[in-house]
Amino acid sequence: MGKALIIGAGGVASVVIHKCCQNPDVFEEICIASRTLSKCDAIKAKLDGGKTKIQTAQIDADNTEMLIGLIKKFGPDIVINVALPYQDLTIMDACLETGVHYLDTANYEPPDVAKFEYKWQWAYRERFEKAGITALLGSGFDPGVTSVFCAYAQKHYFDEIHYIDIVDANAGDHGYPFATNFNPEINIREITAKGSYWENGDWVETEPLELKKVYDLPEIGPKDIYLLHHEEIESLALNIKGVKRIRFWMTFSEKYITHLKVLENVGMTSIEPVKFEGREIIPLQFLKAVLPDPASLGPRTKGKTNIGCIIQGVKDGKPKTYYVYNVCVHEECYAEVGSQAISYTTGVPAMIGAMMILKGLWNKPGVYNIEEFDPDPFMDALNKCGLPWKESFSPELLD
């Protein structure tokens, strides 16, 4: 059916590639491209010989001209961007120049400012529309599946949605004193930034990890959850009719928070350059280099994740509550694709989003957040591709 250029060769990219190869009727040919060619070749070596043809290439995703050259050479129908969010715009520029569909899992973020906003990518709307190509933003789990969950609830269960609480819980244990489950640089920037939520048409800002609650999650039990700023809040506030408040919560253990505070106190989470032995380094990037690689956590991680949306609103004039979520088992993910569940829950939706575009189910020119498309085929694919979802109509609510 089509060809996909996959930019990135980390844990999430590995899952995307495995899942593409499980769907060769859609992904007839893929090219894995990264700055480190050996990583691409290692993934290819594991999967070569199946129905999906695999190529590899070395690429600097910060270099638009180099990207354009690779796209022209390989001739993909879609570019799946699972590189760093700093590189979203250069990759979008290359897609515009070559007339190829674009997909990512996280919004653009400037390297020198921990700021998560869609404005830079939304500015491409008219250009993508004129070019007749689709840019699908945020096709991971959160953002991604959580936004589709909200669109599905809006379509099938509510006349108006008033309150959304997105809860991302990881009850897995990798055995290390401290490690991050995805790119340490991105993860720590996200956590140490100020929190915020959307309420009554405005942003309410909080100090980092200021708001904490305990929530009893299906299959993993009570967990400490902390309010964070998260990018899907921005687009859901525009696309979910009648919404009054949207919040995002993530679980962290007391041990994790203690380690993080110590690292922050000694300056290791800073993104401001410092002089070391005659040259500038960024402390957070140095920290990333000494922490365990998230892609190496798969064989060590045991337990489950639970990610979902607790939704309140109105149907036929009556109050209604709804909770839709996925539970993912780390060990099962590793047995299937060699990754832990954090990479799995991001990589599978990226593949499904690309599948929606290649099949023509989500194929309208312009730049769109994932909740702006029909949620039904995506929800169906989640059940078929390894991320089955569950529903409750009387969930415990967060005040």
Side-chain angles (χ1 to χ4, degrees):
M1 182 177 291
K3 297 169 69 175
L5 171 59
I6 300 164
I7 300 178
V12 172
S14 179
V15 175
V16 174
I17 295 156
H18 275 81
K19 301 307 279 192
C20 287
C21 290
Q22 290 177 15
N23 292 274
D25 55 323
V26 177
F27 300 94
E28 295 174 325
E29 192 170 351
I30 61 173
C31 178
I32 312 164
S34 175
R35 191 185 300 270
T36 309
L37 184 60
S38 59
K39 289 184 177 181
C40 305
D41 290 337
I43 299 171
K44 178 185 176 183
K46 291 178 183 177
L47 293 167
D48 229 1
K51 291 183 178 179
T52 299
K53 296 176 183 177
I54 304 174
Q55 298 182 28
T56 62
Q58 194 277 332
I59 192 69
D60 176 2
D62 293 315
N63 187 325
T64 300
E65 291 305 315
M66 193 175 180
L67 287 161
I68 290 169
L70 177 58
I71 293 171
K72 287 181 176 179
K73 180 180 177 182
F74 179 61
D77 301 288
I78 188 168
V79 172
I80 301 174
N81 171 16
V82 278
L84 294 171
Y86 317 138
Q87 297 163 328
D88 288 0
L89 302 188
T90 55
I91 298 172
M92 290 180 77
D93 286 335
C95 288
L96 267 176
E97 180 67 27
T98 53
V100 174
H101 300 305
Y102 169 88
L103 176 150
D104 65 34
T105 63
N107 68 355
Y108 174 73
E109 179 186 340
D112 55 347
V113 184
K115 198 160 184 67
F116 310 94
E117 287 184 285
Y118 277 114
K119 67 179 182 183
W120 292 283
Q121 291 178 279
W122 285 346
Y124 282 71
R125 282 170 169 161
E126 187 177 340
R127 282 174 282 170
F128 267 76
E129 189 173 350
K130 285 182 177 178
I133 53 175
T134 301
L136 174 58
L137 308 183
S139 189
F141 206 105
D142 43 349
V145 175
T146 50
S147 301
V148 175
F149 282 168
C150 293
Y152 184 81
Q154 180 172 252
K155 179 177 179 179
H156 294 284
Y157 295 126
F158 291 89
D159 295 324
E160 276 193 357
I161 289 173
H162 293 161
Y163 303 104
I164 300 169
D165 282 294
I166 301 166
V167 182
D168 182 332
N170 177 24
D173 183 5
H174 45 58
Y176 286 115
F178 182 81
T180 63
N181 293 295
F182 60 96
N183 185 300
E185 188 178 352
I186 305 303
N187 187 206
I188 292 172
R189 281 169 64 118
E190 180 179 272
I191 297 164
T192 55
K194 287 184 181 291
S196 66
Y197 59 96
W198 196 87
E199 186 168 38
N200 297 325
D202 235 327
W203 289 99
V204 180
E205 192 172 87
T206 67
E207 291 303 309
L209 306 178
E210 177 187 353
L211 296 185
K212 172 188 172 184
K213 295 182 182 291
V214 177
Y215 191 73
D216 191 358
L217 292 124
E219 299 189 41
I220 64 174
K223 297 293 173 188
D224 291 341
I225 61 172
Y226 294 83
L227 186 136
L228 303 181
H229 173 77
H230 226 244
E231 60 228 64
E232 65 264 49
I233 297 175
E234 185 182 10
S235 64
L236 289 172
L238 295 175
N239 295 320
I240 300 299
K241 59 185 179 184
V243 71
K244 297 177 181 178
R245 187 184 68 205
I246 312 171
R247 301 181 295 188
F248 181 94
W249 307 86
M250 187 174 279
T251 57
F252 300 105
S253 68
E254 191 173 322
K255 182 173 73 171
Y256 185 98
I257 297 295
T258 300
H259 276 85
L260 186 64
K261 285 181 177 176
V262 170
L263 290 167
E264 192 171 13
N265 288 341
V266 299
M268 287 305 300
T269 64
S270 173
I271 59 175
E272 295 299 322
V274 298
K275 285 280 190 180
F276 176 73
E277 294 186 348
R279 69 187 190 95
E280 282 194 343
I281 66 167
I282 294 173
L284 182 54
Q285 292 181 354
F286 176 80
L287 178 62
K288 174 186 175 182
V290 299
L291 287 174
D293 181 352
S296 72
L297 299 179
R300 300 177 58 99
T301 308
K302 316 295 180 189
K304 298 178 179 180
T305 63
N306 179 317
I307 313 175
C309 299
I310 305 159
I311 300 171
Q312 303 174 63
V314 174
K315 179 67 175 177
D316 298 328
K318 298 177 182 178
K320 189 178 184 69
T321 59
Y322 177 61
Y323 179 27
V324 55
Y325 61 95
N326 163 265
V327 173
C328 204
V329 181
H330 286 286
E331 296 95 319
E332 292 177 1
C333 298
Y334 184 73
E336 182 191 344
V337 300
S339 91
Q340 32 87 339
I342 306 303
S343 295
Y344 190 90
T345 54
T346 305
V348 173
M351 180 280 296
I352 293 174
M355 177 189 287
M356 297 294 103
I357 291 173
L358 291 178
K359 284 186 171 182
L361 298 172
W362 286 4
N363 212 351
K364 53 184 179 180
V367 176
Y368 297 95
N369 292 89
I370 197 167
E371 69 271 15
E372 295 182 80
F373 292 93
D374 180 9
D376 291 357
F378 193 98
M379 292 287 279
D380 183 54
L382 286 171
N383 284 328
K384 294 175 179 176
C385 296
L387 291 176
W389 42 276
K390 301 179 181 182
E391 298 174 301
S392 168
F393 293 90
S394 54
E396 176 189 346
L397 301 177
L398 284 160
D399 56 24

